[in-house]
Amino acid sequence: MTSLKQFASNIAVNQVINYIDKNPKENLNKILNLSEKFLTNPRDIKVLYMLRNAVSNEDSNWKQLTDRFFEQTTLNCQKKFINNFLINSNIYGTQLRNEKKAELEISIPWAILMDPTSRCNLKCTGCWAASYDQKDDLSYETMNRIINEGKELGIYVYLFSGGEPFIKIDEILKLCEEHQDCYFTCFTNGTLITKEVAKKIAEVSNFAPGISIEGFEKDTDFRRGNGTYKKVLQGMDNLKEAGVIFGTSMCYHHYNYKEIVSEEFIDFLIDKGAYFVWLFTYMPIGKDADIDLCVRPDERAYMYRKVHALRNEKPIFLMDFWNDGEYVNGCIAGGRQYFHINAHGDVEPCAFVHYSDTNIKNVSLIEALNSNIFKAYQKRQPFNENHLRPCPILDNPNYIVEIVNESGAISTQPIDKEKPEELFEKCSIIADNWASVADDIWYDKKIKQNR
């Protein structure tokens, strides 16, 4: 029987949808006010209060971001973002995921990352995809099945990586069209986003690409090849012209970390039309990985402080997957909030954890979520009480050895299969060096919060 609170929430959701259909920009305050009625997670409520206060302040960077969103993207893109990403995933989806978690006694993630193909038109320095079997693909039928099974569990957000996902853009757009109740995004090198492709993305409206860029021309071409930077900028221009929501995916390393979070570069991205920035630190995955690219402890600390400052200054959303563990209680991978399926079909805890004991081509999504490697992974989460040290590879490499050996998982690297013990040996010094710096930041912050 539906409770009075659930009934009130359903009415509020329907009112929000009506406001979105009429004029989301003019009704933004009404939408935010109504949203409080159906939010249950304290973290989500806190974010709502912050956003509501911010958009009422004309000088706020968040007000500038929402204005830019409504002024520069198409109405259909706006509606799909609010309906699919905010309402379907974070309201209806959350309720269904919680029900299924209790029923099935397994963790149900918020999102699934999968690789349509291992093929790529670039060969970037430090990227393991270059060693992949260039024939591996997830078929449209397999990806469609994953999404259908995911929706039954309350999963409405899907990400694509690779390889280069835009090699199979026709299939991706077909999935977007087929699942108009879901929201899609991707990690792409951006070189294949033509004007025609950008227009098609605007037509489906529920796909927001994240374009990889390493800084200005010198740093981007350093890792991605001469001429890549100019192609990336053209792709951004095509998306902005089409009124599409898009952002960037940036890997920071020893040689570019200051540039990619400089005010000059962030302002440049905003001017190009980007709405979000996903930040990743360089991971030394694979036997031939260049350790020299890894950031030093003081450089990672610099990123932590700089990103926090930029969030209060710039009209763009920034998220650092390694330094933002404090907001999500550590690592989100292993099926806790997300997991990865590579182009061969191997089910991995994370895009950076190249070990698996299950292939999605042989099992259902529920069976994959019940895999031994996920159980071993989740049993140890969070991997550290200091959430600035969330990763079981880069920050706590002893755990990757335990997880792989306990679950009987094998390496999914097609050529340079790396034993977890080898990964531990490579990352342990990096982890130890970061530990003292991270602990100083973490516990100093805790002391200040408790005063």
Side-chain angles (χ1 to χ4, degrees), residues 72 195 198-199 234 236-244 246:
Q72 296 181 7
K195 287 182 180 291
K199 289 178 181 177
Q234 184 59 59
M236 290 183 177
D237 291 342
N238 293 340
L239 292 172
K240 183 178 181 181
E241 182 181 337
V244 171
F246 75 93

Side-chain angles (χ1 to χ4, degrees), residues 247-317:
T248 63
S249 169
M250 303 197 295
C251 175
Y252 59 91
H253 53 79
H254 178 56
Y255 297 100
N256 76 337
Y257 74 98
K258 281 192 175 181
E259 179 166 289
I260 64 173
V261 288
S262 66
E263 292 201 26
E264 180 186 10
F265 188 64
I266 296 299
D267 287 342
F268 172 76
L269 294 179
I270 293 168
D271 183 63
K272 297 301 290 183
Y275 294 92
F276 59 85
V277 174
W278 291 324
L279 289 162
F280 299 86
T281 194
Y282 172 78
M283 292 285 285
I285 304 299
K287 292 182 178 180
D288 295 328
D290 186 356
I291 301 294
D292 183 54
L293 286 173
C294 294
V295 290
R296 287 33 167 184
D298 61 314
E299 295 166 356
R300 186 165 166 183
Y302 176 90
M303 289 294 297
Y304 175 81
R305 296 187 176 97
K306 188 64 176 180
V307 169
H308 276 66
L310 289 169
R311 284 194 183 121
N312 296 318
E313 300 167 359
K314 301 297 180 181
I316 192 168
F317 178 78

Side-chain angles (χ1 to χ4, degrees), residues 177-207:
E177 184 66 35
E178 176 71 18
H179 300 281
Q180 278 286 301
D181 52 350
C182 293
Y183 205 77
F184 299 87
T185 183
C186 73
F187 301 96
T188 172
N189 62 44
T191 63
L192 302 178
I193 305 176
T194 63
K195 287 182 180 291
E196 182 182 2
V197 167
K199 289 178 181 177
K200 290 180 179 179
I201 294 173
E203 289 171 5
V204 296
S205 300
N206 57 342
F207 181 42

